Amino acid sequence: MKSRMLVLALCVACSALTSPVLAAAAEKTPAPDKAYLQKIWDGWATLDPANVAQFYASGPHTFFDIAPLKYSSWDEYEKGVRQVLADFKSAKFTVNDDAELHPAGKYVWGTATVKEEMTHKNDKVDTGNFRWTVVFEQQGGKWLIVHEHVSVPAQ
């Protein structure tokens, strides 16, 4: 009987000790890399914000886009950018070779320039490069964007 109690006590102790270790291991998702950045922009190239929602954190976060000035949450961003993208029939985005990613604990911040080619519904084509600064936070085993800034140089 004593040996059964000892085994039970050891099982409980091991379970209590391994739970935090397993939880921490689940949070050890590989940090974003250039391929991950390109995957995000490939999603934007579909012109449907629903295809990139998986990369953005919900809740109150600030996202600066080319237009309008600012969004205060993913829901606001998705709604606003859907209206902007409605004028386009196709898009292609390429993360340039200057992409840099900087791990900072449960965050990773990055910068890149992104080449864009967007075709309006009236067939006018816009091309150029824009700047992208992004902050990822590890949440639930995924790297989600909690802040983003997209801008173009002043003309």
Side-chain angles (χ1 to χ4, degrees):
M1 187 66 158
K2 286 183 182 181
S3 62
R4 285 187 189 171
M5 293 299 282
L6 180 59
V7 169
L8 180 62
L10 284 172
C11 287
V12 170
C14 286
S15 176
L17 291 173
T18 58
S19 292
V21 171
L22 292 174
E27 290 292 317
K28 296 293 181 190
T29 304
D33 57 11
K34 185 179 176 198
Y36 190 71
L37 301 181
Q38 186 60 57
K39 189 174 179 180
I40 294 166
W41 284 102
D42 290 345
W44 278 115
T46 68
L47 302 175
D48 183 354
N51 292 327
V52 293
Q54 65 184 324
F55 300 110
Y56 288 82
S58 59
H61 298 286
T62 301
F63 305 107
F64 295 115
D65 202 353
I66 293 168
L69 180 64
K70 174 182 170 182
Y71 298 103
S72 297
S73 68
W74 169 250
D75 290 338
E76 192 177 293
Y77 194 5
E78 182 177 25
K79 182 180 176 186
V81 80
R82 187 174 300 280
Q83 293 171 357
V84 173
L85 295 175
D87 185 46
F88 295 90
K89 68 178 181 180
S90 69
K92 180 178 180 185
F93 302 105
T94 304
V95 176
N96 293 319
D97 290 336
D98 62 355
E100 294 183 8
L101 291 157
H102 308 276
K106 73 174 195 168
Y107 297 95
V108 171
W109 64 274
T111 59
T113 57
V114 179
K115 180 180 176 184
E116 59 105 358
E117 182 177 311
M118 298 181 72
T119 304
H120 292 262
K121 288 183 177 173
N122 67 6
D123 291 325
K124 178 182 177 240
V125 178
D126 293 336
T127 61
N129 284 280
F130 56 83
R131 299 173 285 223
W132 185 38
T133 302
V134 61
V135 178
F136 296 93
E137 180 181 16
Q138 196 169 49
Q139 296 181 5
K142 294 173 67 177
W143 288 98
L144 299 177
I145 298 171
V146 294
H147 176 71
E148 180 177 72
H149 188 136
V150 178
S151 63
V152 293
Q155 299 297 326

